[in-house]
Amino acid sequence: MQINVLGTGNVGSVLARRLADLGHTVTTANTSTPAGESARQAAEAELTVLAVPFGAVAELPAELRAALADRIVVDATNPLAADYLSLTVGHTTSGGEQVAAALPGARVVKAFNTAMAVTMETGTLSGTPLLLPVAGDDRDAVATVVALAAALGFDALDAGPLTNARYLEPAVELLIQLAYAQGHGPRIGFTLARG
């Protein structure tokens, strides 16, 4: 698959490397990449991962937004406050829904936002696959992202419509609180028991 990763920070760099290791053709862009180049990469890709700060989505150039129409866009952002210890939206909307509104026509899927960047190296901790819920309104796009996440080692599952991002985003804030405010460190994640 041709995949574009927008963002070269902790999350974007790990996902770009891991997806390339799986044999996908991966391009990357960041805020210093010219808008025309970013738009070209997005237009050529079947799937783009948004691994930028949530606030940067509103500032994406119009040319890039247009290039994402009809493409699968994986929203890996979280609407975190400046101190990372709270969310800026919730209950009646989500960052995922706001990303979809900012990218008309894109097939937005919320995923990879509930995992700490360090755990994306394997998708597991101590050999146990970490839960990676995937929410979106386009069933084919969700299935594509679930398959990608599973190939990366995660216990990936369809978490329903994009409105369920309202529940996924607070989940990562709990991880952040546990990792940093409570001192457990970033090598933590969720698992889902089934019985």
Side-chain angles (χ1 to χ4, degrees), residues 56-84:
V57 175
E59 300 169 8
L60 294 177
E63 186 177 4
L64 176 56
R65 290 176 193 230
L68 293 172
D70 298 321
R71 297 291 191 270
I72 298 173
V73 175
V74 178
D75 173 23
T77 71
N78 281 303
L80 300 174
D83 65 1
Y84 298 101

Side-chain angles (χ1 to χ4, degrees), residues 5-19 26-29 49-52 76 117 120:
V5 178
L6 185 57
T8 55
N10 293 338
V11 172
S13 60
V14 171
L15 284 177
R17 184 176 67 254
R18 296 275 333 277
L19 291 166
V26 180
T27 57
T28 60
V49 178
L50 285 182
V52 298
M120 290 184 190

Side-chain angles (χ1 to χ4, degrees), residues 144-160:
T144 297
V145 177
V146 166
L148 275 178
L152 291 171
F154 288 99
D155 176 12
L157 58 80
D158 184 336

